[in-house]
Structures are given as C-alpha cells and as structure tokens.
Amino acid sequence: MSKPEHVLYLKEVSRSFQQGSTEISVLKGVELSISRGEVLGLVGPSGSGKSTLLQIAGILERPNSGKVIIGGISCWDENDNVRAELRQRNLGFVFQYHHLLSEFSALENVMLPQMAAGKSKQEASKRAEQLLSEVGLGGRLSHLPGELSGGEQQRVAICRGLANEPKLLLADEPTGNLDERTAFEISGMLRALASKTGVALVIATHNSGLTEEMDRVVRVQDGFLV
Ligand code: ADP
Ligand code: MG
C-alpha cells in the first residue's frame, strides 16, 4: 500500500518487450516501496531488468500494467505536464556514463537543471557551487567535463542529480565505469549525501561489494524482486 512516508511505490508493475514475434517479459508484477532517506541497492545480473525498473521508477518509461505512485499520485493517471512536474520535483538521475554536457563547465552542468526548474542564474550558481564544494570539487568549478577524471565527472553528475533537491535519486550503475577504489569512494559519497540531506537512493549495481553498507538490497530475479 502507498503510505505518506513512501517517496515511491511501485504496485504490481509489469513490463515486457516485443522482440520480433516473441514477447520478453522483463518485470512480472514488481512491488516496491521506498521510504524517505532510504538507501536501496538493486542487484541482479546484466539483462535482469534493473535499468528497466529504474526507467519506470523515474516515470521515463511506462509499465504495461501496474502503478507508479509518487507522493501519493498515480503518475500514469495524470497528463504529461503533471508527470513532468512530478519528475522535476521529486526525482534525480545518475547514469553509468556521466552524460554531462561537454561544452559546459562543471558549475554550469549543475546549474542547468535548476534554471530549467525556474531558479535564477544567481541562485542556481550558488547552489551548484555549494554542492560541488561538498563533494570536493570546489576547485574545479570552471573545468569542462573533458578536463576531469572519471570519478570527478561522476561527482559532478551526482551534484546535477541532486541540484533540484529531489526526494529520490535513481542511480543506474553509477560506478560501473570506474576503478574499484573510485567506485567505493563514489558509493560512500552517495550514502553520506543521503544521510545528510534525507534524499532516498536507489542504486543499481552488479558490484556486490558496494551493497554491504546499504539499508536494504533487493534482487531482480526472473521478473520479480526477491
Ligand atoms: P539490466 O539493466 O539489468 O542489465 P535491462 O533492464 O537493461 O537489464 O534489460 C532487461 C531485458 O529487457 C533485456 O533482456 C533487454 O534486452 C530487454 N530490453 C530492455 N529494453 C528494451 C527495449 N527498449 N526493447 C527491447 N528489449 C529491451
Ligand atoms: Mg542496466
């Protein structure tokens, strides 16, 4: 059941893909609720449906059946505008590859989503600088993504994901492209940010070493969460 303390509730979510004449059933009735500030690890082998689940949780992709409830609102019963607003107010994303805009500085990359949400340039810049300083990049504000290391790029991407103060940050293999030591650093940083700001995290990973310190770990297996 959806409760007020849930930042996200997935109710009997199913998703399949048509592949030629066969239908591949990826999610077969997934139930998942995430509480405020919770850090959830999402594990499962490649191809098990982790990314599909995150896309659905992020209201980027529509399930074939079931409900996606954010802040008590059933997202797919609303129109595109309401969904866009729900996304902007509640959700942040971090991907395996940073997807930063290469022509813009670290600071600007963290400013842009805030300006899209209606903040002034000055406000956006102030928050971006604060976030980047918190993750140790106060000295890299005007660097372009290409001038940063992989770990630094991913820290900028995390700041961008947090820029509009989401209630839930969805991270799809955020350390998948990093060496092991950097992966641990980034993963520890995510947890620290969660406990400091109260943002809930869902982190898809197939690195079982990273899930040890998470509040809860669920596995995607044969279309269900176990
Ligand atoms: P994971 O992130 O755990 O590696 P995915 O969610 O990316 O898994 O994929 C789960 C399954 O769904 C895979 O078999 C994949 O081929 C299939 N799939 C994902 N997206 C699509 C799509 N847009 N069209 C067809 N099949 C897809
Ligand atoms: Mg994936």
Side-chain angles (χ1 to χ4, degrees):
M1 223 182 66
S2 174
K3 294 184 186 160
E5 68 269 25
H6 290 157
V7 292
L8 172 75
Y9 178 49
L10 301 181
K11 182 180 162 61
E12 289 173 48
V13 161
S14 295
R15 181 73 169 108
S16 54
F17 296 103
Q18 196 72 34
Q19 200 88 114
S21 59
T22 52
E23 185 163 292
I24 306 171
S25 219
V26 178
L27 304 173
K28 302 176 183 168
V30 162
E31 292 277 331
L32 179 67
S33 54
I34 296 155
S35 303
R36 234 186 87 76
E38 185 175 25
V39 179
L40 180 82
L42 183 65
V43 300
S46 179
S48 57
K50 301 182 299 296
S51 294
T52 303
L53 185 60
L54 288 181
Q55 294 280 314
I56 288 174
I59 20 177
L60 295 168
E61 202 175 291
R62 185 175 191 159
N64 297 91
S65 64
K67 286 190 186 298
V68 180
I69 297 170
I70 292 178
I73 298 170
S74 176
C75 301
W76 291 101
D77 293 332
E78 303 292 337
N79 64 34
D80 284 347
N81 293 336
V82 173
R83 256 193 306 283
E85 200 178 312
L86 281 167
R87 211 178 288 122
Q88 197 170 63
R89 287 209 179 160
N90 293 281
L91 302 168
F93 299 89
V94 181
F95 304 95
Q96 176 167 358
Y97 181 69
H98 58 77
H99 292 303
L100 297 170
L101 298 173
S102 59
E103 309 292 308
F104 291 90
S105 69
L107 187 78
E108 288 164 337
N109 268 282
V110 183
M111 286 171 68
L112 288 169
Q114 300 181 68
M115 292 171 69
K119 271 197 204 161
S120 72
K121 207 168 170 176
Q122 200 182 10
E123 269 180 300
S125 166
K126 192 172 159 207
R127 173 153 175 82
E129 187 173 343
Q130 190 186 342
L131 277 166
L132 288 163
S133 300
E134 267 175 51
V135 302
L137 294 179
R140 300 283 188 281
L141 302 180
S142 58
H143 281 52
L144 297 175
E147 299 166 340
L148 298 169
S149 73
E152 288 171 343
Q153 290 167 344
Q154 206 55 322
R155 281 190 260 168
V156 177
I158 289 166
C159 291
R160 179 189 53 188
L162 292 171
N164 286 326
E165 299 178 72
K167 298 189 176 68
L168 175 62
L169 186 71
L170 300 163
D172 196 355
E173 314 231 19
T175 62
N177 280 336
L178 305 174
D179 63 73
E180 192 152 348
R181 205 189 66 144
T182 311
F184 273 94
E185 250 172 51
I186 294 289
S187 151
M189 201 197 77
L190 277 168
R191 285 196 308 273
L193 284 166
S195 71
K196 186 175 168 201
T197 64
V199 66
L201 296 178
V202 180
I203 306 177
T205 178
H206 51 237
N207 184 343
S208 53
L210 294 183
T211 55
E212 272 166 27
E213 308 204 10
M214 295 181 186
D215 299 326
R216 186 160 60 111
V217 178
V218 293
R219 172 175 294 275
V220 192
Q221 193 173 304
D222 303 323
F224 297 97
L225 291 187
V226 295

